[in-house]
Amino acid sequence: MQIQYRHWNAAHGWRGANALREPAQLVLYFGGREGLAGGERYRELRGFYPDSHIVGCSTGGQIHGDDIADDVIVAVALHFARTQVRVVNETIESRDASRVCGMRFARQLAAPDLAGVFVLSDGLNVNGNELIAGITEVLGPDLLVTGGLAGDGNRLKQTLVGADGEPQPNRIAAIGFYGASFRFAHGCAGGWDVFGPRRKVTKSEGSVVAELDGEPPLDLYTRYLGEEEVAAMPGSGLAFPLRIHDEAAPDRQIVRSVFAVDRDARTLTFAADIPEGCTAQLMRANFDSLAAGAGEAGRQARSALADGIAGDKLAILVSCTGRRKVMGQRTQDELDAVAAELGDDVVRIGFYSYGEIAPPAATGRCELHNQTMTVTMIAEAAA
């Protein structure tokens, strides 16, 4: 595999490394919504790579190498020697159609030699849980699926996804990789500290939690965090997500971020579904633990990548916009921790998302995460 890296900003336009020796089959790009809106950057990439699949999304910040930036667009062009690539995409009309959309994607991608799937989805108008459930229902739980939900900084107004066309809202794209030479590895970890007892979700509907142990969740947050922190929610709530436990599957533990607050009803809306009857536990940020969690995701991905790789290696880092907001200037620590585990011979790009898609190590079952660092590694085996 060969990789060409490019980046754009308003001051100098596109800059990049030496040209690929062979045409690229796939180009991935990530950028802020303002930089991608209107499609000019996509059209420029299409001019560079007229015959390639070009897939990307808006973000809550771009990761390029060791740096985080909001005012650049990052892109990598990939040439595979023995891997085939297929891209599918569509506009989703409502969140209720998410599962059906995932099933349609999966049917289009399904093949005996399908080796992995990378998904980029609208971050606001899609039920990520249901999208993943639809994909895995068709392709089975053992096929590795990773990716992320597009972001829009801290604005939560509109996200964009593009797949062989200008980036648009309400879009979902999936990339299928085919062949015995393709290598697809991943890591996934959080690093949050839990506190307080576990509580049963006694009343919820979708992502809206109405009761924890029979009590309005906003009352619980007020008691633990204080009036000042609660007055600043949902923003301050990013530092205090919930860890969700499935009693039927003890190894399954998922983090969910506060997305919205209804102060009249005393309910909280989270970034993804929280099933009624599960148990939940408050979490809080510990910067050292968050950085260590990111490093663990890098370690898992590097360890899972088999030896005998030919050519370049790419790592796609998808971390949570909430982690970036909570960590502030110390966000750099999590990128440094990942880099230390991956090594200098791996090209690193990525983005801050509204949801991360990857199987946690404990279960191997693909999930939608919040407040998590995920690392996807792409490479090819030697002939």
Side-chain angles (χ1 to χ4, degrees):
M1 188 177 82
Q2 302 170 33
I3 301 174
Q4 182 188 37
Y5 170 79
R6 290 181 182 267
H7 65 279
W8 176 95
N9 69 26
H12 61 61
W14 286 102
R15 290 183 177 176
N18 294 332
L20 291 169
R21 297 186 297 275
E22 303 288 345
Q25 294 98 332
L26 176 65
V27 179
L28 294 171
Y29 67 91
F30 307 118
R33 175 164 61 88
E34 294 87 348
L36 299 183
E40 185 174 358
R41 302 289 84 77
Y42 166 76
R43 292 190 292 272
E44 291 167 351
L45 286 172
R46 178 55 70 196
F48 297 143
Y49 308 103
D51 300 318
S52 305
H53 291 299
I54 302 178
V55 183
C57 70
S58 64
T59 81
Q62 291 72 257
I63 298 168
H64 56 118
D66 295 327
D67 298 322
I68 309 166
D70 296 301
D71 58 353
V72 303
I73 297 169
V74 298
V76 287
L78 308 179
H79 167 76
F80 296 100
R82 292 169 296 280
T83 298
Q84 301 300 311
V85 176
R86 184 182 303 167
V87 172
V88 297
N89 73 98
E90 65 178 76
T91 299
I92 186 165
E93 297 181 355
S94 72
R95 287 175 59 88
D96 292 340
S98 299
R99 190 184 190 99
V100 172
C101 178
M103 294 175 69
R104 281 199 299 265
F105 272 10
R107 292 190 186 105
Q108 293 177 69
L109 294 172
D113 61 343
L114 179 62
V117 175
F118 188 79
V119 177
L120 293 176
S121 169
D122 182 282
L124 297 173
N125 302 307
V126 172
N127 184 321
N129 282 333
E130 289 296 293
L131 176 70
I132 295 166
I135 293 172
T136 56
E137 181 175 337
V138 173
L139 298 179
D142 296 331
L143 184 80
L144 180 55
V145 180
T146 68
L149 274 56
D152 183 27
N154 296 320
R155 293 177 293 269
L156 298 168
K157 290 183 177 179
Q158 185 184 72
T159 65
L160 306 175
V161 173
D164 293 335
E166 296 178 7
Q168 301 289 337
N170 304 314
R171 300 290 290 179
I172 307 174
I175 308 165
F177 299 92
Y178 300 82
S181 296
F182 183 68
R183 295 293 179 264
F184 200 42
H186 84 287
C188 172
W192 294 81
D193 292 341
V194 296
F195 69 102
R198 293 188 182 188
R199 301 174 185 276
K200 185 172 287 294
V201 180
T202 47
K203 187 176 181 181
S204 69
E205 183 174 352
S207 59
V208 179
V209 175
E211 291 182 2
L212 290 169
D213 279 349
E215 177 183 11
L218 192 57
D219 292 355
L220 175 69
Y221 269 70
T222 301
R223 189 164 67 253
Y224 272 91
L225 309 184
E227 295 284 355
E228 185 176 347
E229 289 282 4
V230 169
M233 290 177 70
S236 64
L238 292 172
F240 302 97
L242 285 183
R243 185 167 74 177
I244 307 303
H245 303 260
D246 185 346
E247 299 296 338
D251 291 335
R252 184 176 181 239
Q253 298 179 354
I254 305 299
V255 180
R256 291 286 177 254
S257 298
V258 178
F259 191 77
V261 179
D262 187 328
R263 299 188 188 280
D264 294 329
R266 311 294 290 173
T267 63
L268 296 178
T269 300
F270 290 81
D273 292 352
I274 296 183
E276 192 170 294
C278 69
T279 59
Q281 193 169 17
L282 278 165
M283 308 182 80
R284 58 188 166 199
N286 176 312
F287 293 155
D288 291 338
S289 295
L290 291 176
E296 171 62 16
R299 187 199 64 78
Q300 291 173 10
R302 185 72 198 222
S303 297
L305 191 69
D307 294 331
I309 299 301
D312 299 333
K313 297 182 282 290
L314 174 68
I316 306 170
L317 282 58
V318 182
S319 188
C320 184
T321 302
R323 286 173 71 96
R324 185 183 180 193
K325 183 171 183 178
V326 168
M327 296 183 78
Q329 293 183 343
R330 291 200 61 182
T331 307
Q332 186 66 49
D333 292 354
E334 74 169 2
L335 299 190
D336 293 344
V338 174
E341 294 291 344
L342 295 181
D344 295 334
D345 61 336
V346 178
V347 177
R348 302 185 305 280
I349 68 164
F351 66 100
Y352 283 86
S353 75
Y354 284 172
E356 305 79 59
I357 299 171
T363 67
R365 169 187 171 184
C366 187
E367 300 275 7
L368 177 71
H369 306 269
N370 303 128
Q371 302 286 15
T372 300
M373 168 65 82
T374 65
V375 179
T376 298
M377 293 194 70
I378 293 176
E380 276 191 305

